[in-house]
Amino acid sequence: MVATPIGNLGDITRRALDTLESADVVAAEDTRVTRGLLSHYGIAAKPVALHAHNERAGAARVIEWIRAGKVVAFVSDAGTPAVSDPGALLVAAVREAGLPVFPVPGPSALTAALSASGIVADGVVFAGFLPAKGAERKQRLAQLAAGPWAIALFEAPHRVAQTLGDLHAALGERDVVIAREITKMFETIARVPLAEARAWVEADADRRRGEFVLVVEGRAVDAKPAVDPRALLQMLLEDMPVKSAVALAVKLTGAKRNELYALALELKK
């Protein structure tokens, strides 16, 4: 599992180059992207496609290659494979077949953003990409709000403004570090109060371009309870029936079911 640059080609490691050069097979999320990387470094290997849509079938081929004595290097489009990219199913299948998997560590947008964020936390929850919309999105936000830890997530440019607004509604008054285009020419890393974050990115079209990592500070230890039952239920009831909303609210708040049910009925009126 070979990590590749997320932008700046100079970030590739010597070990990664040696691995790609010596591998019998280079499996890639997108052969066009990987072909450009290999060509840049004068590596003659021809990558074969292994992506989210053919990962299970591709894993079977990889297992056959390894059993035949071949070394297979897998790369995603950028960064460390299997971190919100294909690779996890491949690793699981190869390990289940009793074959070895070796990480070749290197660039990662997640760790790069955390290292430059200045967010001090005892722990960080990596949320990947939030569900795009609907009840599943609201449920995930409510779950994140219930924890005390800092939160890191990825977001696409066309959804970043909406996501920052939703994070403020769910998490309240915290700071967020908006890391955009990490290691690339127009890299931007800014710390903004969540209450102002959506307006900040909407104030300049350039702030909504590129790939984003958002790092939200954790809930203060002496803060009020993480979740206000009324606010939580109001959010959940927009997309969920009363019974389901109450059940989830009980899990997230620890409040009594009958009290939350009565509150939900009141809110529905």
Side-chain angles (χ1 to χ4, degrees):
M1 306 299 286
V2 183
T4 55
I6 57 177
N8 191 319
L9 292 177
D11 290 338
I12 199 164
T13 68
R14 182 69 255 174
R15 184 184 173 200
L17 289 174
D18 289 344
T19 301
L20 293 171
E21 193 165 25
S22 62
D24 298 296
V25 179
V26 176
E29 179 184 4
D30 188 324
T31 56
R32 294 166 299 179
V33 172
T34 299
R35 197 176 293 118
L37 176 69
L38 296 175
S39 175
H40 179 83
Y41 285 103
I43 298 173
K46 294 182 179 180
V48 297
L50 198 160
H51 45 70
H53 302 294
N54 73 348
E55 191 169 355
R56 291 187 185 279
R61 294 174 65 199
V62 169
I63 290 169
E64 290 178 4
W65 288 327
I66 297 173
R67 283 179 171 160
K70 294 183 177 181
V71 174
V72 181
F74 176 73
V75 296
S76 56
D77 286 354
T80 301
V83 181
S84 284
D85 271 334
L89 291 176
L90 171 63
V91 169
V94 172
R95 288 199 179 282
E96 189 175 347
L99 300 169
V101 177
F102 303 97
V104 181
S108 165
L110 172 61
T111 53
L114 290 174
S115 71
S117 70
I119 296 290
V120 179
D122 291 331
V124 179
V125 173
F126 175 51
F129 285 93
L130 293 175
K133 57 185 177 180
E136 188 180 358
R137 181 179 177 89
K138 292 180 182 295
Q139 181 173 336
R140 183 76 59 80
L141 286 166
Q143 291 168 338
L144 293 172
W149 303 282
I151 300 161
L153 52 92
F154 294 157
E155 193 49 276
H158 63 283
R159 280 200 300 266
V160 67
Q162 178 66 49
T163 292
L164 288 167
D166 290 346
L167 286 169
H168 177 235
L171 304 179
E173 301 305 316
R174 308 188 195 183
D175 281 0
V176 59
V177 171
I178 303 169
R180 183 180 73 88
E181 292 291 83
I182 296 175
T183 79
K184 301 176 185 177
M185 182 180 296
F186 298 106
E187 175 182 272
T188 304
I189 301 175
R191 183 166 180 158
V192 185
L194 262 180
E196 304 169 15
R198 179 168 187 168
W200 187 84
V201 299
E202 288 180 335
D204 185 341
D206 286 339
R207 295 175 183 171
R208 300 190 299 279
R209 294 194 174 107
E211 298 179 337
F212 291 83
V213 184
L214 307 177
V215 183
V216 185
E217 66 179 345
R219 175 167 47 86
V221 174
D222 59 350
K224 294 180 180 178
V227 182
D228 172 16
R230 177 177 288 272
L232 175 64
L233 279 171
Q234 282 179 323
M235 181 173 65
L236 295 177
L237 287 169
E238 291 180 12
D239 293 287
M240 300 174 69
V242 170
K243 186 176 180 180
S244 299
V246 169
L248 180 57
V250 169
K251 291 180 181 179
L252 296 176
T253 66
K256 294 181 179 179
R257 185 184 182 285
N258 59 343
E259 294 177 356
L260 291 177
Y261 192 81
L263 179 56
L265 292 178
E266 175 190 330
L267 291 171
K268 287 293 285 185
K269 293 179 181 179

